[in-house]
């Protein structure tokens, strides 16, 4: 009984089917791990800014670029939802444009700032319909104003 080595076959790698064509495209394709390594992941790069500590702490945040939109009204209300949709549409348009140009990145989760028009002590009693907010999605520094303008034009 002969084993695979004695017949010159290698273990674990199937031979191509008889008559199967090999294309240049499949040979030139990067392995999945190489593609993932090329994608910029801001969460991984700035992990200390995103990981919540067990105890309250001040965190120093460096300069960052964001796509942002401001509005007023109840969180989850019609204007808020419309702005959130527009923000994600812009983020993914920029992402796909940059990916086609060879610079891919992971779209970050939205971040938000909230404030009221009343004094600090009275702000918690202010109706949500009067709240002001700014929604933001962080983008890599290679995303420039021309990328934002092109995405906004679409």
């Amino acid at each position: 009984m002969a084993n695979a080595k004695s017949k010159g076959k290698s273990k674990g790698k199937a031979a191509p089917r008889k008559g199967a064509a090999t294309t240049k495209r499949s040979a030139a394709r990067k392995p999945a791990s190489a593609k993932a390594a090329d994608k910029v992941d801001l969460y991984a790069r700035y992990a200390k800014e995103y990981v919540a500590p067990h105890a309250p702490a001040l965190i120093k945040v460096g300069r960052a670029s964001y796509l942002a939109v401001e509005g007023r009204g109840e969180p989850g209300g019609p204007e808020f939802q419309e702005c959130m949709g527009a923000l994600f549409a812009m983020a993914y348009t920029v992402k796909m444009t940059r990916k086609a140009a060879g610079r891919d990145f992971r779209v970050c989760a939205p971040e938000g700032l909230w404030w009221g028009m009343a004094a600090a002590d009275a702000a918690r009693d202010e109706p949500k319909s009067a709240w002001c907010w700014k929604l933001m999605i962080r983008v890599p520094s290679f995303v420039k104003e021309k990328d934002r303008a092109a995405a906004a034009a679409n």
Side-chain angles (χ1 to χ4, degrees), residues 67-73 79-80 82-84 86-87 111-115 117 131-137:
L67 300 175
V69 62
E70 289 186 18
R72 185 176 181 165
E79 183 181 355
F80 180 91
E82 186 177 326
C83 287
M84 183 67 80
L87 184 61
E111 300 176 41
L113 302 174
W114 311 86
W115 65 95
M117 300 308 285
W131 287 7
C132 298
W133 40 262
K134 181 184 232 181
L135 301 173
M136 306 174 296
I137 293 179

Side-chain angles (χ1 to χ4, degrees), residues 87-135:
L87 184 61
F88 269 107
M90 184 157 205
Y92 277 96
T93 300
V94 169
K95 174 202 172 34
M96 297 315 261
T97 303
R98 297 303 300 163
K99 183 177 180 178
R103 299 286 308 265
D104 194 11
F105 65 94
R106 176 180 172 196
V107 173
C108 293
E111 300 176 41
L113 302 174
W114 311 86
W115 65 95
M117 300 308 285
D121 292 340
R124 68 177 167 265
D125 298 326
E126 194 168 346
K128 291 180 180 179
S129 60
W131 287 7
C132 298
W133 40 262
K134 181 184 232 181
L135 301 173

Side-chain angles (χ1 to χ4, degrees), residues 3 10 13 23 26 35 66 75 112:
N3 65 21
S10 63
K13 196 170 187 179
T23 63
S26 63
K35 285 183 184 178
Y66 290 87

Side-chain angles (χ1 to χ4, degrees), residues 139-153:
V139 293
S141 59
F142 60 77
V143 173
K144 302 295 182 196
E145 183 56 36
K146 65 181 174 87
D147 300 312
R148 292 179 179 100

